Amino acid sequence: MATIPLTVKGAEKLKQELHRLKTIDRPAVINAISEARAQGDLSENAEYDAAKEKQGFIEGRIKEIEGKMSNAQIIDPTNVDAEGRVVFGATVKLQDIEAGATVEYQIVGDDEADIKSGLISISSPIARSLIGKYEGDVAHVQAPGGLREYEVLEVKYI
């Protein structure tokens, strides 16, 4: 498995989710399974089936997070010295050349991405077109609606 880039905030969120899954969700579902077993016949017990399904999901998610954390490359954007270049973790202020609107995004790992919070995935088309650009450069993004052009107004490492 290749290394997975994560910001410090993203790694912390995954650690918190893992802790919650192991200390709260897992014990709760084990308790639900034992309660369902106590009701008798398991072949027609919907609570048992639902609890077992939830247990499978929780165990799968725990395994997934542990795998990601073991392969994570945690990057602190405040320690990056990219000399004004757009890199992973950078916060970029852009202007849509056609529409004139300005937006600000931080380039983060796939698990951290949340467009409503201004967090875009490193593997997204816009992030891939921004990597390596400097203030004043124009990025050409092939979006589903056609080719878009964004001017890089500011690059910050926060």
Side-chain angles (χ1 to χ4, degrees), residues 118-153:
L119 305 172
I120 59 170
S121 167
I122 185 72
S123 58
S124 69
I126 191 166
R128 287 195 317 257
S129 68
L130 288 169
I131 296 295
K133 300 280 192 267
Y134 291 90
E135 286 183 23
D137 288 352
V138 174
H140 304 278
V141 181
Q142 187 60 50
L147 188 66
R148 307 288 301 244
E149 292 182 323
Y150 294 94
E151 181 181 352
V152 179
L153 300 177

Short mmCIF file of all heavy atoms in Angstrom, two decimals, residues 118-153:
data_model
loop_
_atom_site.label_atom_id
_atom_site.label_comp_id
_atom_site.label_asym_id
_atom_site.label_seq_id
_atom_site.Cartn_x
_atom_site.Cartn_y
_atom_site.Cartn_z
N GLY A 118 -14.10 23.99 2.54
CA GLY A 118 -12.95 24.51 1.81
C GLY A 118 -11.77 23.55 1.77
O GLY A 118 -10.64 23.97 1.55
N LEU A 119 -12.02 22.27 1.96
CA LEU A 119 -10.97 21.26 1.94
C LEU A 119 -11.14 20.41 0.69
O LEU A 119 -12.15 19.71 0.54
CB LEU A 119 -11.04 20.38 3.19
CG LEU A 119 -11.01 21.10 4.53
CD1 LEU A 119 -11.27 20.13 5.67
CD2 LEU A 119 -9.68 21.80 4.73
N ILE A 120 -10.14 20.46 -0.22
CA ILE A 120 -10.24 19.67 -1.45
C ILE A 120 -9.19 18.58 -1.45
O ILE A 120 -8.07 18.75 -0.96
CB ILE A 120 -10.14 20.53 -2.73
CG1 ILE A 120 -8.83 21.30 -2.79
CG2 ILE A 120 -11.33 21.46 -2.85
CD1 ILE A 120 -8.57 21.98 -4.12
N SER A 121 -9.55 17.45 -2.01
CA SER A 121 -8.68 16.28 -2.05
C SER A 121 -7.51 16.50 -3.01
O SER A 121 -7.66 17.08 -4.08
CB SER A 121 -9.48 15.06 -2.52
OG SER A 121 -8.62 14.00 -2.84
N ILE A 122 -6.36 16.00 -2.60
CA ILE A 122 -5.14 16.07 -3.43
C ILE A 122 -5.36 15.37 -4.77
O ILE A 122 -4.73 15.72 -5.76
CB ILE A 122 -3.93 15.46 -2.68
CG1 ILE A 122 -2.63 15.61 -3.45
CG2 ILE A 122 -4.16 14.00 -2.36
CD1 ILE A 122 -2.09 17.00 -3.50
N SER A 123 -6.29 14.42 -4.82
CA SER A 123 -6.52 13.69 -6.06
C SER A 123 -7.62 14.32 -6.93
O SER A 123 -7.93 13.80 -8.00
CB SER A 123 -6.84 12.22 -5.77
OG SER A 123 -7.95 12.13 -4.94
N SER A 124 -8.21 15.43 -6.48
CA SER A 124 -9.25 16.10 -7.28
C SER A 124 -8.61 16.80 -8.48
O SER A 124 -7.45 17.20 -8.43
CB SER A 124 -10.02 17.10 -6.43
OG SER A 124 -9.19 18.20 -6.11
N PRO A 125 -9.37 16.98 -9.55
CA PRO A 125 -8.83 17.65 -10.74
C PRO A 125 -8.28 19.05 -10.45
O PRO A 125 -7.23 19.43 -10.96
CB PRO A 125 -10.01 17.72 -11.70
CG PRO A 125 -10.92 16.61 -11.28
CD PRO A 125 -10.73 16.49 -9.79
N ILE A 126 -8.98 19.81 -9.62
CA ILE A 126 -8.52 21.18 -9.35
C ILE A 126 -7.21 21.17 -8.57
O ILE A 126 -6.29 21.93 -8.86
CB ILE A 126 -9.61 22.02 -8.64
CG1 ILE A 126 -9.19 23.49 -8.61
CG2 ILE A 126 -9.92 21.51 -7.26
CD1 ILE A 126 -10.30 24.44 -8.25
N ALA A 127 -7.10 20.28 -7.57
CA ALA A 127 -5.86 20.22 -6.78
C ALA A 127 -4.70 19.76 -7.65
O ALA A 127 -3.59 20.31 -7.57
CB ALA A 127 -6.04 19.28 -5.59
N ARG A 128 -4.93 18.77 -8.49
CA ARG A 128 -3.85 18.27 -9.36
C ARG A 128 -3.36 19.37 -10.31
O ARG A 128 -2.18 19.46 -10.61
CB ARG A 128 -4.33 17.05 -10.15
CG ARG A 128 -4.45 15.80 -9.28
CD ARG A 128 -4.57 14.53 -10.10
NE ARG A 128 -5.46 14.64 -11.25
CZ ARG A 128 -6.68 14.16 -11.31
NH1 ARG A 128 -7.21 13.56 -10.27
NH2 ARG A 128 -7.41 14.29 -12.40
N SER A 129 -4.29 20.22 -10.77
CA SER A 129 -3.87 21.29 -11.68
C SER A 129 -3.17 22.43 -10.95
O SER A 129 -2.43 23.20 -11.56
CB SER A 129 -5.06 21.81 -12.47
OG SER A 129 -5.95 22.48 -11.62
N LEU A 130 -3.41 22.54 -9.62
CA LEU A 130 -2.80 23.62 -8.85
C LEU A 130 -1.39 23.29 -8.36
O LEU A 130 -0.58 24.20 -8.16
CB LEU A 130 -3.67 23.97 -7.64
CG LEU A 130 -4.98 24.69 -7.94
CD1 LEU A 130 -5.85 24.73 -6.70
CD2 LEU A 130 -4.72 26.09 -8.46
N ILE A 131 -1.11 22.02 -8.13
CA ILE A 131 0.18 21.62 -7.56
C ILE A 131 1.32 22.17 -8.44
O ILE A 131 1.34 22.01 -9.65
CB ILE A 131 0.29 20.08 -7.45
CG1 ILE A 131 -0.75 19.55 -6.46
CG2 ILE A 131 1.70 19.64 -7.05
CD1 ILE A 131 -0.56 19.98 -5.03
N GLY A 132 2.25 22.83 -7.77
CA GLY A 132 3.42 23.38 -8.45
C GLY A 132 3.26 24.82 -8.94
O GLY A 132 4.21 25.45 -9.37
N LYS A 133 2.04 25.36 -8.87
CA LYS A 133 1.79 26.73 -9.33
C LYS A 133 2.22 27.74 -8.26
O LYS A 133 2.34 27.42 -7.09
CB LYS A 133 0.31 26.93 -9.64
CG LYS A 133 -0.25 26.02 -10.71
CD LYS A 133 0.09 26.51 -12.09
CE LYS A 133 -0.68 25.81 -13.17
NZ LYS A 133 -0.04 24.67 -13.76
N TYR A 134 2.45 28.97 -8.70
CA TYR A 134 2.82 30.09 -7.82
C TYR A 134 1.75 31.16 -7.92
O TYR A 134 0.90 31.12 -8.82
CB TYR A 134 4.16 30.70 -8.25
CG TYR A 134 5.35 29.80 -8.02
CD1 TYR A 134 5.77 28.90 -9.00
CD2 TYR A 134 6.06 29.86 -6.82
CE1 TYR A 134 6.88 28.09 -8.79
CE2 TYR A 134 7.16 29.05 -6.60
CZ TYR A 134 7.55 28.17 -7.58
OH TYR A 134 8.65 27.36 -7.37
N GLU A 135 1.80 32.15 -7.02
CA GLU A 135 0.89 33.29 -7.10
C GLU A 135 1.03 33.93 -8.48
O GLU A 135 2.13 34.11 -8.98
CB GLU A 135 1.22 34.32 -6.02
CG GLU A 135 0.81 33.89 -4.63
CD GLU A 135 1.09 34.96 -3.57
OE1 GLU A 135 1.18 36.15 -3.92
OE2 GLU A 135 1.19 34.57 -2.40
N GLY A 136 -0.11 34.25 -9.08
CA GLY A 136 -0.12 34.87 -10.40
C GLY A 136 -0.25 33.86 -11.54
O GLY A 136 -0.60 34.24 -12.65
N ASP A 137 0.03 32.58 -11.27
CA ASP A 137 -0.12 31.55 -12.30
C ASP A 137 -1.59 31.26 -12.55
O ASP A 137 -2.44 31.51 -11.69
CB ASP A 137 0.57 30.25 -11.89
CG ASP A 137 2.10 30.34 -11.94
OD1 ASP A 137 2.61 31.35 -12.44
OD2 ASP A 137 2.75 29.39 -11.46
N VAL A 138 -1.89 30.73 -13.72
CA VAL A 138 -3.25 30.34 -14.07
C VAL A 138 -3.30 28.82 -14.19
O VAL A 138 -2.47 28.21 -14.88
CB VAL A 138 -3.71 30.99 -15.39
CG1 VAL A 138 -5.08 30.46 -15.80
CG2 VAL A 138 -3.74 32.50 -15.24
N ALA A 139 -4.26 28.22 -13.50
CA ALA A 139 -4.45 26.77 -13.56
C ALA A 139 -5.64 26.47 -14.46
O ALA A 139 -6.69 27.09 -14.35
CB ALA A 139 -4.71 26.22 -12.16
N HIS A 140 -5.45 25.53 -15.36
CA HIS A 140 -6.50 25.10 -16.27
C HIS A 140 -7.05 23.78 -15.73
O HIS A 140 -6.32 22.80 -15.63
CB HIS A 140 -5.97 24.92 -17.69
CG HIS A 140 -5.30 26.16 -18.22
ND1 HIS A 140 -6.01 27.19 -18.76
CD2 HIS A 140 -4.00 26.53 -18.25
CE1 HIS A 140 -5.17 28.16 -19.11
NE2 HIS A 140 -3.94 27.78 -18.81
N VAL A 141 -8.35 23.78 -15.40
CA VAL A 141 -8.97 22.62 -14.77
C VAL A 141 -10.04 22.05 -15.69
O VAL A 141 -10.95 22.77 -16.11
CB VAL A 141 -9.62 23.01 -13.42
CG1 VAL A 141 -10.25 21.80 -12.76
CG2 VAL A 141 -8.61 23.67 -12.52
N GLN A 142 -9.91 20.76 -15.98
CA GLN A 142 -10.92 20.10 -16.78
C GLN A 142 -12.01 19.63 -15.83
O GLN A 142 -11.89 18.61 -15.17
CB GLN A 142 -10.33 18.91 -17.56
CG GLN A 142 -11.30 18.28 -18.54
CD GLN A 142 -11.79 19.26 -19.60
OE1 GLN A 142 -11.00 19.96 -20.24
NE2 GLN A 142 -13.09 19.34 -19.79
N ALA A 143 -13.08 20.41 -15.72
CA ALA A 143 -14.19 20.11 -14.83
C ALA A 143 -15.30 19.42 -15.63
O ALA A 143 -15.29 19.47 -16.86
CB ALA A 143 -14.71 21.40 -14.21
N PRO A 144 -16.25 18.79 -14.94
CA PRO A 144 -17.36 18.15 -15.66
C PRO A 144 -18.11 19.11 -16.58
O PRO A 144 -18.60 18.71 -17.63
CB PRO A 144 -18.28 17.66 -14.53
CG PRO A 144 -17.38 17.47 -13.36
CD PRO A 144 -16.32 18.54 -13.49
N GLY A 145 -18.16 20.39 -16.22
CA GLY A 145 -18.86 21.38 -17.03
C GLY A 145 -18.00 22.00 -18.13
O GLY A 145 -18.42 22.92 -18.80
N GLY A 146 -16.77 21.50 -18.28
CA GLY A 146 -15.87 22.03 -19.29
C GLY A 146 -14.60 22.60 -18.67
O GLY A 146 -14.38 22.50 -17.46
N LEU A 147 -13.78 23.22 -19.49
CA LEU A 147 -12.50 23.77 -19.04
C LEU A 147 -12.73 25.05 -18.23
O LEU A 147 -13.44 25.95 -18.65
CB LEU A 147 -11.60 24.08 -20.24
CG LEU A 147 -10.17 24.48 -19.91
CD1 LEU A 147 -9.43 23.31 -19.27
CD2 LEU A 147 -9.44 24.93 -21.16
N ARG A 148 -12.14 25.10 -17.02
CA ARG A 148 -12.22 26.27 -16.15
C ARG A 148 -10.81 26.80 -15.93
O ARG A 148 -9.86 26.02 -15.89
CB ARG A 148 -12.83 25.92 -14.78
CG ARG A 148 -14.16 25.21 -14.80
CD ARG A 148 -15.32 26.08 -15.22
NE ARG A 148 -15.50 27.23 -14.38
CZ ARG A 148 -16.55 27.46 -13.64
NH1 ARG A 148 -17.53 26.60 -13.60
NH2 ARG A 148 -16.65 28.57 -12.94
N GLU A 149 -10.68 28.10 -15.77
CA GLU A 149 -9.38 28.71 -15.51
C GLU A 149 -9.44 29.46 -14.19
O GLU A 149 -10.37 30.24 -13.93
CB GLU A 149 -9.00 29.67 -16.64
CG GLU A 149 -8.73 28.97 -17.94
CD GLU A 149 -8.31 29.94 -19.03
OE1 GLU A 149 -8.86 31.07 -19.07
OE2 GLU A 149 -7.46 29.58 -19.85
N TYR A 150 -8.45 29.19 -13.35
CA TYR A 150 -8.35 29.84 -12.05
C TYR A 150 -6.99 30.52 -11.92
O TYR A 150 -5.97 29.90 -12.21
CB TYR A 150 -8.48 28.83 -10.91
CG TYR A 150 -9.84 28.19 -10.82
CD1 TYR A 150 -10.11 26.97 -11.44
CD2 TYR A 150 -10.87 28.80 -10.10
CE1 TYR A 150 -11.35 26.37 -11.34
CE2 TYR A 150 -12.12 28.21 -10.01
CZ TYR A 150 -12.35 27.00 -10.63
OH TYR A 150 -13.58 26.42 -10.54
N GLU A 151 -7.00 31.78 -11.48
CA GLU A 151 -5.75 32.47 -11.20
C GLU A 151 -5.43 32.28 -9.73
O GLU A 151 -6.29 32.44 -8.87
CB GLU A 151 -5.84 33.96 -11.52
CG GLU A 151 -4.53 34.68 -11.25
CD GLU A 151 -4.61 36.18 -11.52
OE1 GLU A 151 -5.62 36.65 -12.07
OE2 GLU A 151 -3.63 36.87 -11.17
N VAL A 152 -4.18 31.94 -9.43
CA VAL A 152 -3.74 31.77 -8.05
C VAL A 152 -3.46 33.16 -7.50
O VAL A 152 -2.55 33.85 -7.95
CB VAL A 152 -2.48 30.88 -7.97
CG1 VAL A 152 -2.03 30.74 -6.53
CG2 VAL A 152 -2.74 29.52 -8.60
N LEU A 153 -4.27 33.59 -6.52
CA LEU A 153 -4.10 34.92 -5.93
C LEU A 153 -3.16 34.90 -4.74
O LEU A 153 -2.43 35.85 -4.51
CB LEU A 153 -5.46 35.48 -5.49
CG LEU A 153 -6.52 35.67 -6.58
CD1 LEU A 153 -7.83 36.15 -5.98
CD2 LEU A 153 -6.03 36.62 -7.66
#
